Each structure stands twice: as structure tokens, then as C-alpha cells.
mmCIF file of all heavy atoms in Angstrom:
data_model
loop_
_atom_site.group_PDB
_atom_site.id
_atom_site.type_symbol
_atom_site.label_atom_id
_atom_site.label_comp_id
_atom_site.label_asym_id
_atom_site.label_seq_id
_atom_site.Cartn_x
_atom_site.Cartn_y
_atom_site.Cartn_z
ATOM 1 N N ALA I 1 23.827 129.468 -77.987
ATOM 2 C CA ALA I 1 24.131 129.663 -76.559
ATOM 3 C C ALA I 1 25.030 128.539 -76.076
ATOM 4 O O ALA I 1 24.758 127.365 -76.447
ATOM 5 C CB ALA I 1 22.905 129.826 -75.706
ATOM 6 N N MET I 2 26.042 128.877 -75.319
ATOM 7 C CA MET I 2 27.013 127.838 -74.738
ATOM 8 C C MET I 2 27.233 128.263 -73.286
ATOM 9 O O MET I 2 27.289 129.419 -72.914
ATOM 10 C CB MET I 2 28.326 127.855 -75.455
ATOM 11 C CG MET I 2 28.469 126.780 -76.473
ATOM 12 S SD MET I 2 30.050 126.916 -77.370
ATOM 13 C CE MET I 2 31.313 126.875 -76.071
ATOM 14 N N ASP I 3 27.486 127.251 -72.476
ATOM 15 C CA ASP I 3 27.971 127.527 -71.128
ATOM 16 C C ASP I 3 29.491 127.584 -71.111
ATOM 17 O O ASP I 3 30.130 127.208 -72.174
ATOM 18 C CB ASP I 3 27.471 126.646 -70.027
ATOM 19 C CG ASP I 3 27.836 125.160 -70.149
ATOM 20 O OD1 ASP I 3 28.910 124.902 -70.844
ATOM 21 O OD2 ASP I 3 27.161 124.270 -69.602
ATOM 22 N N PHE I 4 30.157 127.954 -69.987
ATOM 23 C CA PHE I 4 31.598 128.120 -69.979
ATOM 24 C C PHE I 4 32.393 126.749 -69.997
ATOM 25 O O PHE I 4 33.488 126.603 -70.094
ATOM 26 C CB PHE I 4 32.074 129.003 -68.937
ATOM 27 C CG PHE I 4 31.881 130.443 -69.139
ATOM 28 C CD1 PHE I 4 31.252 130.933 -70.294
ATOM 29 C CD2 PHE I 4 32.237 131.376 -68.262
ATOM 30 C CE1 PHE I 4 31.111 132.241 -70.556
ATOM 31 C CE2 PHE I 4 32.062 132.746 -68.438
ATOM 32 C CZ PHE I 4 31.498 133.157 -69.657
ATOM 33 N N GLN I 5 31.609 125.638 -69.848
ATOM 34 C CA GLN I 5 32.195 124.260 -69.944
ATOM 35 C C GLN I 5 32.186 123.761 -71.345
ATOM 36 O O GLN I 5 32.577 122.673 -71.631
ATOM 37 C CB GLN I 5 31.400 123.273 -68.995
ATOM 38 C CG GLN I 5 31.626 123.533 -67.536
ATOM 39 C CD GLN I 5 31.081 124.776 -66.990
ATOM 40 O OE1 GLN I 5 29.878 124.979 -67.193
ATOM 41 N NE2 GLN I 5 31.843 125.615 -66.308
ATOM 42 N N GLY I 6 31.646 124.550 -72.235
ATOM 43 C CA GLY I 6 31.574 124.251 -73.656
ATOM 44 C C GLY I 6 30.319 123.515 -74.107
ATOM 45 O O GLY I 6 30.318 122.991 -75.219
ATOM 46 N N THR I 7 29.326 123.370 -73.226
ATOM 47 C CA THR I 7 28.089 122.652 -73.615
ATOM 48 C C THR I 7 27.270 123.547 -74.391
ATOM 49 O O THR I 7 26.941 124.623 -73.969
ATOM 50 C CB THR I 7 27.428 122.106 -72.373
ATOM 51 O OG1 THR I 7 28.308 121.248 -71.607
ATOM 52 C CG2 THR I 7 26.127 121.328 -72.769
ATOM 53 N N MET I 8 26.799 123.111 -75.548
ATOM 54 C CA MET I 8 25.888 123.895 -76.425
ATOM 55 C C MET I 8 24.468 123.830 -75.736
ATOM 56 O O MET I 8 23.990 122.707 -75.628
ATOM 57 C CB MET I 8 25.838 123.274 -77.822
ATOM 58 C CG MET I 8 25.185 124.084 -78.818
ATOM 59 S SD MET I 8 25.944 125.805 -79.139
ATOM 60 C CE MET I 8 27.482 125.277 -80.037
ATOM 61 N N LEU I 9 23.957 124.949 -75.510
ATOM 62 C CA LEU I 9 22.608 125.046 -74.867
ATOM 63 C C LEU I 9 21.516 125.328 -75.830
ATOM 64 O O LEU I 9 20.378 124.948 -75.627
ATOM 65 C CB LEU I 9 22.731 126.204 -73.780
ATOM 66 C CG LEU I 9 23.860 126.034 -72.767
ATOM 67 C CD1 LEU I 9 23.883 127.247 -71.909
ATOM 68 C CD2 LEU I 9 23.501 124.793 -71.799
ATOM 69 N N ALA I 10 21.802 126.023 -76.885
ATOM 70 C CA ALA I 10 20.870 126.330 -77.967
ATOM 71 C C ALA I 10 21.632 126.579 -79.251
ATOM 72 O O ALA I 10 22.765 127.043 -79.299
ATOM 73 C CB ALA I 10 20.041 127.611 -77.655
ATOM 74 N N HIS I 11 21.070 126.130 -80.276
ATOM 75 C CA HIS I 11 21.703 126.366 -81.624
ATOM 76 C C HIS I 11 20.633 126.405 -82.760
ATOM 77 O O HIS I 11 20.071 125.368 -83.133
ATOM 78 C CB HIS I 11 22.688 125.183 -81.909
ATOM 79 C CG HIS I 11 23.732 125.559 -82.970
ATOM 80 N ND1 HIS I 11 23.415 125.579 -84.303
ATOM 81 C CD2 HIS I 11 25.040 125.876 -82.849
ATOM 82 C CE1 HIS I 11 24.481 125.880 -84.947
ATOM 83 N NE2 HIS I 11 25.501 126.063 -84.078
ATOM 84 N N GLY I 12 20.454 127.554 -83.277
ATOM 85 C CA GLY I 12 19.418 127.770 -84.292
ATOM 86 C C GLY I 12 19.801 127.229 -85.685
ATOM 87 O O GLY I 12 18.927 127.057 -86.544
ATOM 88 N N GLY I 13 21.010 126.768 -85.887
ATOM 89 C CA GLY I 13 21.470 126.302 -87.184
ATOM 90 C C GLY I 13 21.569 124.758 -87.135
ATOM 91 O O GLY I 13 21.526 124.124 -88.234
ATOM 92 N N ASN I 14 21.666 124.163 -86.029
ATOM 93 C CA ASN I 14 21.794 122.641 -86.000
ATOM 94 C C ASN I 14 21.504 122.127 -84.588
ATOM 95 O O ASN I 14 22.307 122.120 -83.649
ATOM 96 C CB ASN I 14 23.333 122.280 -86.313
ATOM 97 C CG ASN I 14 23.557 120.867 -86.445
ATOM 98 O OD1 ASN I 14 22.695 119.932 -86.076
ATOM 99 N ND2 ASN I 14 24.718 120.484 -86.969
ATOM 100 N N LYS I 15 20.203 121.749 -84.423
ATOM 101 C CA LYS I 15 19.757 121.259 -83.095
ATOM 102 C C LYS I 15 20.441 120.042 -82.612
ATOM 103 O O LYS I 15 20.491 119.800 -81.441
ATOM 104 C CB LYS I 15 18.209 120.938 -83.197
ATOM 105 C CG LYS I 15 17.364 122.211 -83.322
ATOM 106 C CD LYS I 15 15.899 121.789 -83.218
ATOM 107 C CE LYS I 15 15.053 122.974 -83.371
ATOM 108 N NZ LYS I 15 13.639 122.665 -83.285
ATOM 109 N N SER I 16 21.151 119.232 -83.481
ATOM 110 C CA SER I 16 21.831 118.098 -83.042
ATOM 111 C C SER I 16 23.083 118.347 -82.174
ATOM 112 O O SER I 16 23.518 117.490 -81.480
ATOM 113 C CB SER I 16 22.224 117.182 -84.160
ATOM 114 O OG SER I 16 23.299 117.773 -85.018
ATOM 115 N N LEU I 17 23.524 119.673 -82.144
ATOM 116 C CA LEU I 17 24.583 120.028 -81.380
ATOM 117 C C LEU I 17 24.206 120.332 -79.886
ATOM 118 O O LEU I 17 25.078 120.305 -78.993
ATOM 119 C CB LEU I 17 25.283 121.284 -81.916
ATOM 120 C CG LEU I 17 25.881 121.072 -83.386
ATOM 121 C CD1 LEU I 17 26.405 122.440 -83.820
ATOM 122 C CD2 LEU I 17 26.874 119.992 -83.332
ATOM 123 N N ILE I 18 22.967 120.563 -79.643
ATOM 124 C CA ILE I 18 22.421 120.913 -78.285
ATOM 125 C C ILE I 18 22.809 119.755 -77.271
ATOM 126 O O ILE I 18 22.497 118.636 -77.598
ATOM 127 C CB ILE I 18 20.985 121.270 -78.313
ATOM 128 C CG1 ILE I 18 20.757 122.462 -79.198
ATOM 129 C CG2 ILE I 18 20.464 121.486 -76.885
ATOM 130 C CD1 ILE I 18 19.316 122.728 -79.610
ATOM 131 N N GLY I 19 23.366 120.097 -76.156
ATOM 132 C CA GLY I 19 23.735 119.172 -75.153
ATOM 133 C C GLY I 19 25.136 118.571 -75.323
ATOM 134 O O GLY I 19 25.630 117.975 -74.438
ATOM 135 N N LYS I 20 25.736 118.853 -76.400
ATOM 136 C CA LYS I 20 27.143 118.360 -76.693
ATOM 137 C C LYS I 20 28.217 119.285 -76.172
ATOM 138 O O LYS I 20 28.000 120.521 -76.205
ATOM 139 C CB LYS I 20 27.343 118.108 -78.216
ATOM 140 C CG LYS I 20 26.437 116.953 -78.739
ATOM 141 C CD LYS I 20 26.795 116.563 -80.066
ATOM 142 C CE LYS I 20 25.896 115.382 -80.423
ATOM 143 N NZ LYS I 20 25.824 115.039 -81.831
ATOM 144 N N THR I 21 29.323 118.725 -75.697
ATOM 145 C CA THR I 21 30.450 119.518 -75.330
ATOM 146 C C THR I 21 31.319 119.763 -76.542
ATOM 147 O O THR I 21 31.725 118.799 -77.234
ATOM 148 C CB THR I 21 31.241 118.778 -74.235
ATOM 149 O OG1 THR I 21 30.392 118.572 -73.079
ATOM 150 C CG2 THR I 21 32.428 119.606 -73.712
ATOM 151 N N MET I 22 31.601 121.023 -76.847
ATOM 152 C CA MET I 22 32.217 121.451 -78.099
ATOM 153 C C MET I 22 33.688 121.880 -77.954
ATOM 154 O O MET I 22 34.313 122.124 -78.937
ATOM 155 C CB MET I 22 31.397 122.608 -78.730
ATOM 156 C CG MET I 22 29.802 122.393 -78.705
ATOM 157 S SD MET I 22 29.385 121.059 -79.819
ATOM 158 C CE MET I 22 29.745 121.754 -81.343
ATOM 159 N N LEU I 23 34.253 121.989 -76.765
ATOM 160 C CA LEU I 23 35.535 122.566 -76.617
ATOM 161 C C LEU I 23 36.647 121.985 -77.351
ATOM 162 O O LEU I 23 37.496 122.688 -77.790
ATOM 163 C CB LEU I 23 35.883 122.617 -75.069
ATOM 164 C CG LEU I 23 35.166 123.573 -74.179
ATOM 165 C CD1 LEU I 23 35.738 123.652 -72.890
ATOM 166 C CD2 LEU I 23 35.085 124.970 -74.811
ATOM 167 N N GLY I 24 36.712 120.628 -77.542
ATOM 168 C CA GLY I 24 37.891 120.137 -78.289
ATOM 169 C C GLY I 24 37.751 120.201 -79.858
ATOM 170 O O GLY I 24 38.661 119.846 -80.573
ATOM 171 N N ILE I 25 36.688 120.668 -80.342
ATOM 172 C CA ILE I 25 36.455 120.628 -81.802
ATOM 173 C C ILE I 25 37.349 121.748 -82.410
ATOM 174 O O ILE I 25 37.370 122.902 -82.008
ATOM 175 C CB ILE I 25 34.954 120.855 -82.148
ATOM 176 C CG1 ILE I 25 34.230 119.649 -81.628
ATOM 177 C CG2 ILE I 25 34.765 121.075 -83.562
ATOM 178 C CD1 ILE I 25 32.726 119.760 -81.744
ATOM 179 N N LYS I 26 37.968 121.424 -83.668
ATOM 180 C CA LYS I 26 38.798 122.363 -84.401
ATOM 181 C C LYS I 26 38.196 122.488 -85.762
ATOM 182 O O LYS I 26 37.563 121.550 -86.270
ATOM 183 C CB LYS I 26 40.140 121.769 -84.516
ATOM 184 C CG LYS I 26 40.887 121.626 -83.177
ATOM 185 C CD LYS I 26 42.283 121.079 -83.356
ATOM 186 C CE LYS I 26 42.981 120.780 -82.062
ATOM 187 N NZ LYS I 26 44.277 120.210 -82.191
ATOM 188 N N ASP I 27 38.375 123.681 -86.366
ATOM 189 C CA ASP I 27 38.039 123.772 -87.740
ATOM 190 C C ASP I 27 39.101 123.247 -88.620
ATOM 191 O O ASP I 27 40.115 122.677 -88.186
ATOM 192 C CB ASP I 27 37.641 125.237 -88.024
ATOM 193 C CG ASP I 27 38.820 126.124 -88.194
ATOM 194 O OD1 ASP I 27 39.969 125.715 -88.013
ATOM 195 O OD2 ASP I 27 38.624 127.348 -88.441
ATOM 196 N N ASN I 28 38.945 123.334 -89.988
ATOM 197 C CA ASN I 28 39.900 122.696 -90.844
ATOM 198 C C ASN I 28 41.254 123.431 -90.846
ATOM 199 O O ASN I 28 42.152 122.994 -91.464
ATOM 200 C CB ASN I 28 39.327 122.669 -92.274
ATOM 201 C CG ASN I 28 39.093 124.081 -92.879
ATOM 202 O OD1 ASN I 28 38.951 125.036 -92.109
ATOM 203 N ND2 ASN I 28 39.128 124.185 -94.126
ATOM 204 N N GLN I 29 41.367 124.581 -90.159
ATOM 205 C CA GLN I 29 42.626 125.266 -90.033
ATOM 206 C C GLN I 29 43.222 124.970 -88.648
ATOM 207 O O GLN I 29 44.308 125.564 -88.291
ATOM 208 C CB GLN I 29 42.411 126.768 -90.159
ATOM 209 C CG GLN I 29 41.742 127.211 -91.377
ATOM 210 C CD GLN I 29 42.713 127.020 -92.613
ATOM 211 O OE1 GLN I 29 43.869 127.318 -92.522
ATOM 212 N NE2 GLN I 29 42.209 126.430 -93.729
ATOM 213 N N GLY I 30 42.651 124.093 -87.834
ATOM 214 C CA GLY I 30 43.180 123.770 -86.582
ATOM 215 C C GLY I 30 42.815 124.726 -85.463
ATOM 216 O O GLY I 30 43.323 124.582 -84.340
#
């Protein structure tokens, strides 16, 4: 789950992402 500001609210695969802003992150393809 994420809000529209890009903050991760819940993540069943990696709890360390919760609370982080994710919008600027790119995958290896850009």
C-alpha cells in the first residue's frame, strides 16, 4: 500500500520500505 505522495504504508515483501518515500526510485531499466 502507498499513498499518492509515494510513501510506502504497507509492504508484505520488505518491511524496511514502510514509511519511505519511493517516488524517485528507478529500476535497472530507468
Side-chain angles (χ1 to χ4, degrees):
M2 260 177 57
D3 66 20
F4 283 2
Q5 288 70 51
T7 303
M8 191 64 68
L9 304 171
H11 198 286
N14 186 348
K15 288 186 184 183
S16 71
L17 298 178
I18 298 168
K20 293 190 174 163
T21 302
M22 310 297 289
L23 287 187
I25 294 175
K26 298 178 183 179
D27 73 0
N28 65 332
Q29 301 292 313

